[in-house]
């Protein structure tokens, strides 16, 4: 006899083994060191900033918006797979225990985000409202957990609705109410926060009634949502190790491809130069990850007051970008045609190192320009020279050693 609870536990066990295997590579020594450095530096400057926080700083707005985002983003992890569309639809009436466990797992796994945000905003809250007692903030945390649970149930009910316009409208309405509730709650306007909570409950009950009118589950939507989240995780993990489950997405980006093609001579020795540049532009999340790291690193360099910490962040982000772009070498590992190319393997390694050097040099120059904007001319010189030296040592030392 089919037991949906046991089936979920088996599926959950496989899911944990799968994700933990990749998390081991994501949080390796390199990333752990970078995260420790980020947290220590951020905590130090956060404490200094709180000591001189402006009186008119919009704490209520900031916390209201962030808490609203945290509780609104409450996806349901069903752990369903594509074959389930064939084999489980007939057993839908027996799946109540499965989906109950999925809701519990989804809520628990998202509590770490709540914990991080609550811990980060605690010092800001007490610095902005020193007259308030600690139990007031504890009450705010309780409200966050309640709204998180409510939004999770509402998102689950909306997954039974096939009309995406209804889902998007409902999500937008709940997001606005979530932000409003936390804004007035943190501002001390308890009556208005209570009224908005009542409005949210009305929408909450409307979602429940709407879902009960549906004939059955939207299985295609459930599988699509869960597979999309797993593919996002696999794409991120692929930056650190090989992920055979990854379905690579190809983005055309014609104008960028055309720009690159014109600058690479049509010659056998440039085969891998062309391949790695096109892969960087079109395949996976390489280009978006590279650009995100440049922007985040630039913001750290611009806003951190200490020049030596700025320089450390510049080198650290150079390292992170170069380390993650190394996975380009293994991107086409499952394609047999590369083994048939009449091109020496050493040219393949040389092409990747050349491309990594060019990307790192662009990043170094951009970070040096940020120092110019802050009028830190010493930092500009050190970052430019130190970045070039780091790129040379990293690519010709570590990268060459790892390319096998």
């Amino acid at each position: 006899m089919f037991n949906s609870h046991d089936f979920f536990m088996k599926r959950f066990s496989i899911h944990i083994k799968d994700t933990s295997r990749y998390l081991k590579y994501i949080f390796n020594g390199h990333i752990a060191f970078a995260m420790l450095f980020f947290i220590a530096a951020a905590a130090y400057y956060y404490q200094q900033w709180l000591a001189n926080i402006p009186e008119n700083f919009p704490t209520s707005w900031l916390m209201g918006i962030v808490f609203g985002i945290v509780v609104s983003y409450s996806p349901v992890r069903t752990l369903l797979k594509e074959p389930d569309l064939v084999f489980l639809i007939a057993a839908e009436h027996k799946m109540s225990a499965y989906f109950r466990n999925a809701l519990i797992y989804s809520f628990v796994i998202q509590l770490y985000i709540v914990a991080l945000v609550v811990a980060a905003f605690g010092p800001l809250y007490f610095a902005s409202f020193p007259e308030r007692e600690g139990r007031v903030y504890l009450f705010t945390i309780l409200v966050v957990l309640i709204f998180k649970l409510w939004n999770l149930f509402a998102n689950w009910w909306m997954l039974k609705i096939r009309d995406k316009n209804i889902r998007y409208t409902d999500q937008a309405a709940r997001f606005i109410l979530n932000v409003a509730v936390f804004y007035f709650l943190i501002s001390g306007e308890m009556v208005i926060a209570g009224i908005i909570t009542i409005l949210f409950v009305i929408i909450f009950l409307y979602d429940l009634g709407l879902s009960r009118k549906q004939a059955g589950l939207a299985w295609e939507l459930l599988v699509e949502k869960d597979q999309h989240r797993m593919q996002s995780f696999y794409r991120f993990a692929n930056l650190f190790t090989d992920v055979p489950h990854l379905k690579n997405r190809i983005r055309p980006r014609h104008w960028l491809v055309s720009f690159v093609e014109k600058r690479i001579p049509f010659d056998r020795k440039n085969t891998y130069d062309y391949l790695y540049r096109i892969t960087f532009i079109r395949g996976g999340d390489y280009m978006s990850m590279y650009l995100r790291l440049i922007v985040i690193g630039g913001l750290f360099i611009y806003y951190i007051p200490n020049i030596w910490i700025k320089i450390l962040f510049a080198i650290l982000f150079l390292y992170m970008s170069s380390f993650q772009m190394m996975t380009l070498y293994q991107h086409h590992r499952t394609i047999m045609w590369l083994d048939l190319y009449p091109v020496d393997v050493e040219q393949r390694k040389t092409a990747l190192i050349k491309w990594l050097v060019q990307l790192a040099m662009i990043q170094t120059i951009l970070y040096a320009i940020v120092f110019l904007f802050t009028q830190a001319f010493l930092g500009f010189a050190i970052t430019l020279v130190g970045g070039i030296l780091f790129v040379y040592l990293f690519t010709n030392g570590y990268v060459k050693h790892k390319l096998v």
Side-chain angles (χ1 to χ4, degrees), residues 26 28 30-38 236 239-240 286 289-290 292-294 296-297 300 312-327 356 360 363 367 390 394 398:
I26 294 174
N28 57 21
H30 305 283
I31 301 301
F33 171 76
M35 290 180 63
L36 182 63
F37 184 80
F38 281 138
F236 180 70
L239 297 172
F240 304 89
Y286 295 107
M289 176 67 73
Y290 174 72
R292 282 197 298 268
L293 286 172
I294 288 179
I296 296 172
F300 273 103
L312 283 175
F313 267 104
I315 301 299
L316 180 62
F317 274 93
L318 275 173
Y319 161 74
M320 292 177 64
S321 295
S322 301
F323 181 78
Q324 292 180 349
M325 292 305 112
M326 283 173 56
T327 55
L356 292 181
Q363 191 172 358
Y367 286 163
F390 169 80
F394 183 77
Y398 182 82

Side-chain angles (χ1 to χ4, degrees), residues 2-11 84 88 95 98:
F2 179 72
N3 188 315
S4 63
H5 172 75
D6 293 340
F7 179 66
F8 177 85
M9 297 310 296
K10 292 178 182 177
R11 183 66 61 83
D84 297 336
L88 287 184
M95 293 288 289
Y98 181 97

Side-chain angles (χ1 to χ4, degrees), residues 192-228:
I192 301 178
I195 294 173
I196 298 174
T197 300
I198 294 173
L199 294 176
F200 182 91
V201 171
I202 292 173
I203 293 180
F204 180 78
L205 296 176
Y206 172 78
D207 291 346
L208 174 60
L210 196 63
S211 68
R212 287 181 172 176
K213 294 179 182 179
Q214 305 304 309
L217 296 172
W219 283 86
E220 297 86 354
L221 181 62
L222 296 177
V223 172
E224 177 189 343
K225 293 288 186 180
D226 212 82
Q227 291 299 303
H228 176 72

Side-chain angles (χ1 to χ4, degrees), residues 86-328:
V86 177
F87 298 104
L88 287 184
I89 291 180
E92 180 178 327
H93 62 287
K94 301 179 181 179
M95 293 288 289
S96 57
Y98 181 97
F99 291 121
R100 179 199 63 209
N101 293 339
L103 287 168
I104 294 172
Y105 167 66
S106 300
F107 180 72
V108 172
I109 199 64
Q110 295 171 43
L111 288 181
Y112 80 95
I113 300 178
V114 177
L116 289 174
V117 173
V118 165
F121 276 140
L124 175 62
Y125 180 85
F126 291 111
S128 302
F129 309 107
E131 71 282 357
R132 296 186 186 177
E133 298 179 1
R135 60 185 179 182
V136 179
Y137 192 61
L138 290 176
F139 176 73
T140 303
I141 297 173
L142 177 62
V143 175
V144 170
L145 293 174
I146 293 173
F147 269 79
K148 183 73 174 175
L149 187 60
W150 284 351
N151 278 275
L152 181 70
F153 277 111
N155 286 337
W156 167 243
W157 294 329
M158 282 294 103
L159 285 174
K160 300 178 182 180
I161 308 299
R162 289 174 170 80
D163 190 339
K164 63 180 181 180
N165 293 324
I166 295 177
R167 296 200 306 270
Y168 291 157
T169 302
D170 174 81
Q171 192 171 23
R174 283 190 287 111
F175 172 71
I176 294 172
L177 292 177
N178 287 330
V179 172
V181 164
F182 289 107
Y183 168 75
F184 288 111
L185 180 64
I186 294 165
S187 298
E189 303 289 344
M190 298 298 181
V191 176
I192 301 178
I195 294 173
I196 298 174
T197 300
I198 294 173
L199 294 176
F200 182 91
V201 171
I202 292 173
I203 293 180
F204 180 78
L205 296 176
Y206 172 78
D207 291 346
L208 174 60
L210 196 63
S211 68
R212 287 181 172 176
K213 294 179 182 179
Q214 305 304 309
L217 296 172
W219 283 86
E220 297 86 354
L221 181 62
L222 296 177
V223 172
E224 177 189 343
K225 293 288 186 180
D226 212 82
Q227 291 299 303
H228 176 72
R229 279 186 285 271
M230 283 307 300
Q231 286 299 312
S232 297
F233 172 76
Y234 288 145
R235 281 193 296 274
F236 180 70
N238 192 57
L239 297 172
F240 304 89
T241 186
D242 297 338
V243 181
H245 308 291
L246 181 63
K247 297 178 181 178
N248 290 315
R249 293 186 300 175
I250 303 301
R251 297 175 174 84
R253 292 170 177 163
H254 298 297
W255 66 276
L256 272 176
V257 172
S258 177
F259 178 81
V260 170
E261 284 179 339
K262 293 176 181 178
R263 283 154 181 78
I264 300 177
F266 188 77
D267 194 3
R268 178 186 297 180
K269 66 180 181 180
N270 297 316
T271 300
Y272 284 106
D273 293 274
Y274 175 82
L275 179 66
Y276 287 135
R277 282 158 177 76
I278 299 303
T279 303
F280 173 80
I281 294 171
R282 299 184 60 194
D285 290 331
Y286 295 107
M287 191 172 76
S288 58
M289 176 67 73
Y290 174 72
L291 294 176
R292 282 197 298 268
L293 286 172
I294 288 179
V295 172
I296 296 172
L299 291 174
F300 273 103
I301 295 169
Y302 186 83
Y303 285 106
I304 290 176
N306 188 289
I307 187 173
W308 300 109
I309 301 298
K310 289 175 182 280
I311 295 170
L312 283 175
F313 267 104
I315 301 299
L316 180 62
F317 274 93
L318 275 173
Y319 161 74
M320 292 177 64
S321 295
S322 301
F323 181 78
Q324 292 180 349
M325 292 305 112
M326 283 173 56
T327 55
L328 277 168

